[in-house]
Amino acid sequence: MMSTAGRETKPHVGIFGRCNAGKSSLLNLLTGAETAIVSPESGTTTDTVRKSCEVAGLGPVIFIDTAGMDDGSPLGRQRVERTTEAMRQVDLALLIYREWGRPEEELLRQLDAMQVPVVVVNNSGEAAGDGLRVDVAGGDAEQRKEQREALFCEIKRRLPESAYTAPSMFGGRVAAGDAVLLVCPIDSGAPAGRMILPQMQAIRELLDINAIPVVVQPEQIGRALDGFRPVLVVTDSQVFAEVRAAVPREIEVTSFSILLAAAKGDYELYLRGLDAVEALKDGDRVLIAESCTHQAGCDDIGRVKIPRWLAEYTGRKLRFDVVSGLAPLPADMAEYALMVQCGACMVTRSQLRNRLRQAVEAGVPVTNYGMLIREIRK
């Protein structure tokens, strides 16, 4: 089951090519505004530029303009690294060129290795050549409108469906009329005046399928279950042990993080990663992989509680590092004994799976917040 309700992320489309290939002009054409600075000067785009644009039939799409992959300026290496990192964040790539050659072939190779679909945009001014022919800086208003529509049509054709549809958190395990108990603690880690995104997504999906979501805090479980039998209990990971103890054994208990692991992550990869927990040794490094940026408090689940619980469970002296948001993984990934990934409600499936792929290629076992907590807090 796929649902567009409660969409947690927007499709990301990246624009790649050499310096002066017309990347910034292409972004301006797509957005219909002077979003990016355009200049014949090589290296004008010094960092990634992001712009949200409404696309009919898709909704808001994030377009990313990047620095040229052949940037030879003093800061060129850092800019190219940013561009390479942007490749791991997109659902679709627009590869624009004026003259096709080895740099374009290398870009295609990199994008293919990352499993990113590509639309080639021919900005050469010649009818010959591969790709959608577009004069990104020329034409009158009507011609530019036609080119823009042709680009949007091709983007919609090539963009993977997974980029603009949200996967079901419940996957057919809940039907219309079923009651589901959602345990949502309001503590120092909860955002002021609102609920966290996975909780909102769960409530919305349950309402969409005409199920009955019942929301309580941990201390209210006993009263909520008095004469009431939900088909499923979903809890915040950090109180999993307490909730499991308070709920009759015949009622399944899971967590928001585990539901997200099955919906948009790699459940089997996370499950295998749990084996690495038992093999941890003194001095091993563990990477906590967050997918959002936030101010960490004294009750932070990833930076405080998981390290403490993991050290208590294993009896080992472990070293912990943290990467947050869409920051690149450490260059020395192979030195880690385990990576623990959050539920990743704030990023796209492409962004999450590219991060997981990097860990796997480095030979690092990966598990998920909720699945780890369920294992070590029984």
Side-chain angles (χ1 to χ4, degrees):
M1 172 184 174
M2 304 291 289
S3 170
T4 55
R7 183 184 303 162
E8 76 279 17
T9 49
K10 303 172 184 177
H12 285 55
V13 176
I15 303 173
F16 302 95
R18 300 192 215 184
C19 293
N20 291 332
K23 298 184 298 301
S24 297
S25 295
L26 178 58
L27 176 65
N28 291 342
L29 176 62
L30 286 164
T31 61
E34 297 302 307
T35 301
I37 298 173
V38 175
S39 166
E41 192 76 26
S42 181
T44 299
T45 301
T46 60
D47 206 347
T48 53
V49 176
R50 297 167 185 260
K51 176 67 175 178
S52 179
C53 178
E54 191 79 18
V55 178
L58 291 179
V61 173
I62 301 294
F63 288 100
I64 306 176
D65 183 21
T66 65
M69 289 298 285
D70 59 335
D71 190 338
S73 66
L75 292 175
R77 181 175 178 181
Q78 293 181 43
R79 293 170 181 169
V80 170
E81 287 175 353
R82 290 287 185 92
T83 298
T84 302
E85 193 59 35
M87 291 183 185
R88 299 190 178 98
Q89 300 175 12
V90 301
D91 302 289
L92 177 70
L94 305 181
L95 199 172
I96 185 169
Y97 75 96
R98 294 186 188 275
E99 180 182 355
W100 191 267
R102 181 174 295 178
E104 287 72 27
E105 293 291 346
E106 176 60 20
L107 276 168
L108 275 180
R109 186 196 66 76
Q110 289 181 269
L111 291 163
D112 181 66
M114 296 177 189
Q115 300 179 20
V116 177
V118 179
V119 172
V120 174
V121 179
N122 180 349
N123 188 36
S124 67
E126 304 292 334
D130 293 331
L132 182 66
R133 187 183 174 195
V134 176
D135 180 4
V136 295
D140 56 27
E142 187 60 31
Q143 290 171 325
R144 291 181 67 78
K145 179 181 177 182
E146 290 177 1
Q147 290 188 123
R148 189 170 186 243
E149 292 304 314
L151 283 162
F152 283 151
C153 183
E154 189 66 8
I155 287 168
K156 286 188 281 189
R157 187 179 75 84
R158 296 297 308 278
L159 193 67
E161 184 181 1
S162 61
Y164 53 87
T165 55
S168 169
M169 292 179 69
F170 294 94
R173 50 206 298 193
V174 177
D178 285 345
V180 178
L181 187 66
L182 306 175
V183 184
C184 304
I186 303 298
D187 54 21
S188 62
R194 60 186 177 85
M195 303 178 75
I196 62 173
L197 191 55
Q199 296 167 356
M200 294 169 57
Q201 291 169 352
I203 292 170
R204 178 56 191 268
E205 183 175 330
L206 291 170
L207 292 174
D208 282 345
I209 61 178
N210 292 318
I212 306 168
V214 178
V215 183
V216 299
Q217 295 189 56
E219 62 271 17
Q220 299 170 324
I221 294 175
R223 280 187 291 161
L225 292 177
D226 186 12
F228 169 69
R229 284 295 179 270
V231 299
L232 179 67
V233 174
V234 186
T235 179
D236 189 278
S237 295
Q238 61 186 315
V239 293
F240 190 94
E242 297 92 315
V243 173
R244 177 66 277 181
V247 174
R249 302 304 299 181
E250 65 270 18
I251 300 177
E252 182 186 358
V253 177
T254 189
S255 73
F256 295 102
S257 184
I258 292 173
L259 291 178
L260 283 172
K264 67 186 295 186
D266 189 328
Y267 189 87
E268 294 302 321
L269 173 69
Y270 294 151
L271 193 61
R272 293 194 301 272
L274 290 174
D275 293 338
V277 174
E278 306 299 331
L280 289 173
K281 306 182 298 296
D282 285 337
D284 277 347
R285 296 173 68 190
V286 177
L287 182 65
I288 303 297
E290 302 172 339
S291 291
C292 65
T293 55
H294 63 280
Q295 182 179 6
C298 59
D299 289 329
D300 191 84
I301 185 66
R303 301 181 184 223
V304 178
K305 291 185 174 180
I306 286 179
R308 183 177 73 239
W309 291 337
L310 195 52
E312 290 172 351
Y313 178 81
T314 62
R316 303 297 186 183
K317 294 180 180 179
L318 306 171
R319 294 182 293 162
F320 293 90
D321 297 316
V322 178
V323 62
S324 63
L326 292 175
L329 295 181
D332 59 347
M333 270 302 292
E335 301 299 317
Y336 286 92
L338 178 67
M339 184 173 97
V340 186
Q341 171 66 49
C342 74
C345 63
M346 298 298 292
V347 297
T348 68
R349 276 179 284 177
S350 295
Q351 290 163 352
L352 173 60
R353 290 178 179 179
N354 269 315
R355 171 181 277 184
L356 298 180
R357 185 179 301 117
Q358 292 176 74
V360 170
E361 289 174 353
V364 181
V366 183
T367 193
N368 155 277
Y369 277 26
M371 295 172 73
L372 176 66
I373 293 169
R374 180 179 60 182
E375 182 71 16
I376 66 178
R377 297 280 292 168
K378 292 177 179 177

